[in-house]
């Protein structure tokens, strides 16, 4: 009943509250508002540790069926972080995200708003290729979500782009519909920090549904506008 009375904003807020970690709500340590930026070496060390933790995952159907871990690509100091779904065949072979057909479209999409892909930072929801390129199962998305949150926290981007419903579900839960959630700025809180987030369609989906490219183009223009407003160096 109550749910019917909720407007879209309330519903998104509920999702947001669900995304908070317990530590955020019950944290008894004071928030350190004077945190200094980590050095490049510290960031690299944290990323190495995270990669090692992912490699330690046990009994994972994705990991046991894939050749390589696909962890990241791009500039670790980029203000723009992109999250895809999971590696495909080419990514699995090369150990790098978005190097196949979807990756080529991703490059074109960002080029269209004057951004060189190499100036961004890219990762995926799951770091091992799902068998036959299937969508990761909800429990797989959940299992890898803590790694993704940690990953975002380490990179600490000014703008986060979630490409596709898997990336959206990993961070906002499964209640949102991408067709409604895409295209507007949302706030994602991780480790007491708010990340300005845009959900948009995945390039692989656009390769199958070319008629949806008009929405993607509108989202890309919003992203460009925000980059200019924030005077980000991209
Ligand atoms: N699709 C993704 O979501 N990620 C990749 O790395 C490649 C294709």
């Amino acid at each position: 009943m109550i749910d019917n009375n909720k407007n879209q904003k309330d519903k998104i807020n509920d999702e947001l509250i669900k995304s908070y970690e317990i530590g955020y709500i019950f944290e008894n340590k004071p928030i350190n508002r004077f945190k200094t930026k980590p050095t490049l070496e510290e960031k690299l060390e944290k990323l190495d540790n995270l990669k090692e933790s992912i490699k330690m995952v046990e009994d994972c159907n994705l990991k046991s069926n894939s050749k390589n871990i696909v962890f990241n690509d791009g500039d670790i100091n980029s203000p723009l972080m992109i999250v895809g779904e999971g590696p495909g065949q080419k990514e699995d072979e090369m150990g790098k995200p978005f190097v196949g057909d979807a990756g080529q479209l991703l490059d074109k999409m960002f080029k269209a708003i004057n951004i060189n892909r190499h100036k961004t930072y890219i990762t995926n929801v799951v770091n091992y290729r799902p068998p036959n390129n299937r969508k990761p199962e909800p429990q797989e998305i959940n299992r890898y979500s803590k790694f993704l949150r940690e990953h975002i926290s380490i990179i600490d981007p000014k703008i986060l782009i979630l490409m596709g419903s898997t990336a959206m579900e990993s961070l906002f839960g499964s209640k949102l519909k991408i067709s409604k959630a895409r295209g507007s700025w949302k706030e994602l809180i991780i480790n007491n920090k708010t990340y300005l987030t845009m959900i948009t369609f995945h390039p692989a989906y656009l390769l199958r549904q070319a008629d949806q490219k008009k929405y993607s183009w509108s989202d890309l223009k919003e992203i460009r506008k925000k980059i200019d407003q924030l005077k980000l160096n991209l």
Side-chain angles (χ1 to χ4, degrees), residues 16-46:
L16 203 61
I17 289 166
K18 275 190 221 137
S19 82
Y20 294 165
E21 285 106 27
I22 197 150
Y24 175 73
I25 298 164
F26 294 108
E27 188 64 84
N28 53 13
K29 286 188 299 209
I31 299 170
N32 178 2
R33 298 189 190 281
F34 300 99
K35 270 185 202 154
T36 49
K37 271 192 156 212
T39 62
L40 188 69
E41 288 70 28
E42 284 167 342
K43 230 175 174 179
L44 283 169
E45 192 185 339
K46 283 184 183 178

Side-chain angles (χ1 to χ4, degrees), residues 84-88 91 97-98 102 124 202:
E85 178 177 289
E91 288 78 16
F98 283 105
N124 279 312
H202 191 288

Side-chain angles (χ1 to χ4, degrees), residues 142-158:
N142 286 347
R143 186 174 203 191
Y144 280 82
S145 169
K146 68 168 192 288
F147 298 125
L148 177 59
R149 285 167 175 272
E150 172 72 13
H151 209 153
I152 294 166
S153 206
I154 296 170
I155 297 301
D156 196 21
K158 295 280 185 280

Side-chain angles (χ1 to χ4, degrees), residues 158-199:
K158 295 280 185 280
I159 292 180
L160 184 64
I161 312 289
L162 306 183
M163 310 217 81
S165 58
T166 302
M168 178 186 75
E169 282 168 36
S170 169
L171 297 163
F172 285 95
S174 53
K175 286 205 176 145
L176 298 184
K177 284 255 164 287
I178 189 160
S179 51
K180 292 225 171 88
R182 56 144 282 277
S184 58
W185 292 104
K186 304 205 174 346
E187 294 185 336
L188 176 71
I189 298 175
I190 301 174
N191 288 339
N192 292 334
K193 180 119 200 237
T194 304
Y195 294 95
L196 199 55
T197 305
M198 173 71 79
I199 298 165

Side-chain angles (χ1 to χ4, degrees), residues 75-94:
D75 174 5
I76 68 166
N77 281 325
S78 177
L80 185 70
M81 179 168 182
I82 300 167
V83 180
E85 178 177 289
Q89 185 183 359
K90 227 174 182 169
E91 288 78 16
D92 184 34
E93 276 159 18
M94 295 180 65

